[in-house]
């Protein structure tokens, strides 16, 4: 029976070792004390905003129904005008960026053409030097054969 009591005490000791002995730190308490009232104030403001929105909607809904023959076409016209201006701006920016990209590509091609010409000149010079060396070597071989 003594063994049974020892076994029952071990699981509780394990739990005690997992739980911290000290309470929350000062910074945690200060954070809760500071943020709790701020959260309450923000929640109150959210509720007041919701109530104001519902009251405003209740007041203006009859006006929208009465003036809908005028407001709906006006809203459509304004929406189309805004869409047109935004599309025009987007297409203008796209055209400018495309032209800028094209200009940069052309400028890089011109710069690389000069580099390509210089590289080709170097290759031709190297090929001419190699041909001269081979010719000289061949001439030496012919002379050595002629002497023997």
């Amino acid at each position: 029976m003594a063994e049974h009591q020892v076994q029952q005490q071990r699981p509780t000791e394990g739990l005690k070792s997992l739980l911290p002995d000290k309470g929350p730190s000062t910074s945690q308490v200060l954070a809760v004390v500071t943020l709790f009232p701020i959260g309450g104030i923000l929640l109150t403001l959210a509720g007041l905003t919701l109530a104001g929105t519902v009251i405003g909607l209740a007041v203006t809904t009859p006006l929208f129904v009465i003036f809908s023959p005028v407001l709906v076409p006006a809203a459509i016209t304004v929406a189309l005008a805004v869409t047109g201006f935004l599309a025009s701006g987007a297409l203008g920016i796209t055209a400018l960026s495309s032209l800028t990209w094209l200009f940069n590509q052309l400028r890089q091609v011109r710069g690389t053409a000069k580099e390509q010409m210089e590289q080709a000149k170097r290759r031709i010079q190297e090929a001419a030097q190699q041909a001269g060396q081979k010719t000289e070597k061949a001439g030496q071989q012919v002379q050595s054969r002629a002497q023997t």
Side-chain angles (χ1 to χ4, degrees):
M1 187 157 217
E3 292 175 10
H4 185 64
Q5 289 176 351
V6 171
Q7 288 177 356
Q8 286 180 352
Q9 289 177 354
R10 285 184 184 164
T12 57
E13 289 174 3
L15 290 176
K16 285 182 183 178
S17 66
L18 294 176
L19 299 173
D21 293 335
K22 60 180 181 177
S25 67
T26 306
S27 62
Q28 290 173 338
V29 171
L30 185 61
V32 169
V33 168
T34 305
L35 294 177
F36 188 73
I38 292 174
I41 291 170
L42 291 175
L43 187 60
T44 303
L45 287 174
L48 290 173
T49 304
L50 177 64
T53 303
V54 170
I55 291 170
L57 189 60
V59 169
T60 57
T61 299
L63 293 174
F64 283 143
V65 170
I66 292 170
F67 292 111
S68 65
V70 175
L71 293 177
V72 170
I76 292 172
T77 303
V78 169
L80 289 175
V82 168
T83 303
F85 282 122
L86 290 176
S88 172
L91 291 173
I93 289 172
T94 303
L96 284 176
S97 64
S98 298
L99 289 175
T100 303
W101 178 82
L102 182 64
F103 177 73
N104 287 334
Q105 290 297 320
L106 290 175
R107 190 173 62 183
Q108 287 177 0
V109 166
R110 287 183 185 166
T112 57
K114 291 178 183 177
E115 293 172 2
Q116 288 175 354
M117 289 298 288
E118 290 176 10
Q119 190 175 20
K121 286 179 185 178
R122 276 187 251 127
R123 286 182 187 169
I124 291 172
Q125 289 173 352
E126 290 173 3
Q129 288 175 354
Q130 287 177 357
Q133 289 173 357
K134 286 183 180 180
T135 305
E136 188 177 328
K137 197 183 245 185
Q140 289 173 358
Q141 287 176 353
V142 168
Q143 284 180 354
S144 68
R145 285 185 189 165
Q147 290 175 356
T148 55

